[in-house]
Amino acid sequence: MTAPEHTPGRPLSGLRIVEISSFVASPLCGLTLCQLGAEVIRIDPLGGAADTGRWPLTATGESIYWTGLNRGKRSLALDLRSDAGQDIVRRLVTAPGPGAGILVTNTGGRAWMSHDALAAVRSDVITLELLGRRDGRPAVDYTVNAALGFPQITGPDDHNGVVNHVLPAWDIAAGLHAALAVTAAVHRRATTGAGSQIVLPLEDVALATAGTLGYLTEVQVNGTGRPATGNDVYGTYGTDFVTADGARFMVVTLTPRHFRDLTALTGTQETVAALETALGADFGQESDRFEHRDLLTALFARWFRTHDADEVGRALAGTSVLHERYRSFEQVVRSGDLERNPLFATLSQPRIGDYLAAAMPASFDGVHLRTGPAADLGADGRDVLRDVLALGDAEIAALTHTGVLAEKSRT
């Protein structure tokens, strides 16, 4: 696949990344670098890695998931168990050029593509290996999350048990950390000539984030962990309300102005002021609004229960109160919001169809950076070997004949 997206002017134009990966974090790293202009060559084993058929699927069994994470990448499928296949991987990673010599993978632990083995060929090689746990043991988002503490405080505050999140937050954070680490290593190589061996455990991404946000620090400093608060925002005033017609809104008041506007909207100024005096509280302070949130919510809830969703939406829109109506994915798509957002543009994805696909969320000089569709598994093998390794037709044909290089196949 010729990738016209990799044009001069994109921040990472001129870089070539070899990606050997599956699931979320590592492919997301590659996609992010690709959106920024890098050429990303994804190498899969023959028949595809474990994620090529992952849900969600189309009615005909094609993976929406796989094509979404591999947009714009060139696809190469090899017999990675063969000496010849492993040799091709090493040659692709260590190919000459100032923007080459970069490997991203979550399938490390293989001596033949270790950092030391690659650095013996190209001393300034950059390798990034995503691990599950820092000691090399396997882990995924849900197991890392279970060991960290978040499921203990997720869900209704009266729920007797744990609640997993549905968003693979640690995978996403790890993928973005990985892309940042690669760009930092590229900058260091450009200024010093040195390569980098980067190891990024999913477990450490989660621990670092939990520490930075105070979840782990408060235990060390205060001696106790954070309690479950249900849908209430911890440490300030924010919660969900149900309208007369059963819709639900999330409402957050981070500042005194937000809170004043909410009391004015709900007609509870005098009652809230009396409550403040009776409690000896100062509702201008986030801590007091949080401490007495149950009483405040009971006061505000009556107004929401006596107005329908449209009335509530219009009223809140006229205030400074932070709010949003809860919606399903179906409601988001059918609302027309995607069509109105320049982040999205129509993508024609073979075997999937036409749909509105997101570009990189950050815009550069007013432009959102996009990629083309995902290639068929192995579709670019011949072109990649010809373009990067300068192999001739006879050599490529021999690799295909011996089963080292896959012919173009379906995902």
Side-chain angles (χ1 to χ4, degrees), residues 213-366:
L213 296 179
Y215 290 93
L216 303 180
T217 309
E218 63 184 313
V219 177
Q220 299 171 74
V221 174
N222 297 334
T224 58
R226 192 167 304 186
T229 59
N231 281 350
D232 295 339
V233 180
Y234 181 73
T236 189
Y237 185 77
T239 193
D240 60 309
F241 293 96
V242 180
T243 64
D245 53 352
R248 193 176 292 268
F249 282 77
M250 185 65 192
V251 172
V252 180
T253 63
L254 294 178
T255 69
R257 180 191 175 194
H258 295 155
F259 188 73
R260 289 194 301 269
D261 278 6
L262 181 59
T263 60
L265 176 70
T266 56
T268 57
Q269 301 102 311
E270 293 183 3
T271 305
V272 168
L275 180 64
E276 188 175 31
T277 300
L279 295 172
D282 177 5
F283 291 149
Q285 300 295 318
E286 285 189 289
S287 57
D288 285 10
R289 296 197 295 272
F290 178 73
E291 182 179 354
H292 302 291
R293 63 191 182 280
D294 291 340
L295 293 173
L296 294 170
T297 297
L299 292 176
F300 302 145
R302 183 178 182 279
W303 181 86
F304 286 89
R305 288 196 306 269
T306 56
H307 295 80
D308 65 28
D310 289 341
E311 293 172 326
V312 169
R314 287 194 297 270
L316 284 169
T319 72
S320 68
V321 177
L322 305 170
H323 68 279
E324 195 58 78
R325 181 175 177 174
Y326 283 86
R327 298 188 296 179
S328 66
F329 292 120
E330 291 84 355
Q331 289 171 319
V332 172
V333 171
R334 293 166 184 164
S335 69
D337 286 355
L338 305 189
E339 288 86 348
R340 291 187 289 269
N341 189 336
L343 173 66
F344 290 87
T346 299
L347 178 73
S348 295
Q349 175 62 57
R351 306 177 319 282
I352 299 294
D354 293 352
Y355 67 95
L356 292 171
M360 167 155 278
S363 62
F364 286 74
D365 302 317

Side-chain angles (χ1 to χ4, degrees), residues 140 177 197 209 213 312 351:
V140 295
H177 271 289
Q197 180 181 11
T209 304
L213 296 179
V312 169
R351 306 177 319 282

Side-chain angles (χ1 to χ4, degrees), residues 175-228:
L176 298 176
H177 271 289
L180 177 61
V182 168
T183 56
V186 168
H187 175 72
R188 185 174 80 164
R189 185 171 71 179
T191 55
T192 69
S196 297
Q197 180 181 11
I198 307 166
V199 178
L200 181 63
L202 184 66
E203 175 186 35
D204 284 354
V205 170
L207 285 167
T209 304
T212 299
L213 296 179
Y215 290 93
L216 303 180
T217 309
E218 63 184 313
V219 177
Q220 299 171 74
V221 174
N222 297 334
T224 58
R226 192 167 304 186

Side-chain angles (χ1 to χ4, degrees), residues 47-171:
D51 61 343
T52 53
R54 200 175 191 202
W55 287 23
L57 307 176
T58 66
T60 57
E62 304 292 349
S63 176
I64 296 171
Y65 165 93
W66 192 90
T67 53
L69 278 169
N70 291 294
R71 286 173 287 150
K73 301 174 186 177
R74 306 178 80 182
S75 178
L76 179 68
L78 293 168
D79 179 2
L80 296 178
R81 296 183 178 182
S82 69
D83 290 341
Q86 294 171 9
D87 180 62
I88 290 173
V89 171
R90 286 191 294 265
R91 292 170 64 188
L92 287 172
V93 175
T94 60
I102 306 170
L103 171 67
V104 171
T105 185
N106 69 330
T107 60
R110 303 178 182 183
W112 62 268
M113 68 171 192
S114 68
H115 180 84
D116 289 344
L118 297 171
V121 180
R122 177 167 177 160
S123 61
D124 66 348
V125 71
I126 295 169
T127 62
L128 185 142
E129 181 182 0
L130 277 151
L131 302 178
R133 303 185 66 168
R134 59 187 171 277
D135 60 5
R137 285 180 292 161
V140 295
D141 189 285
Y142 282 99
T143 60
V144 165
N145 195 53
L148 185 56
F150 282 96
Q152 303 283 349
I153 62 172
T154 300
D157 54 9
D158 59 352
H159 175 67
N160 184 24
V162 296
V163 176
N164 289 334
H165 56 211
V166 298
L167 178 73
W170 309 126
D171 278 336

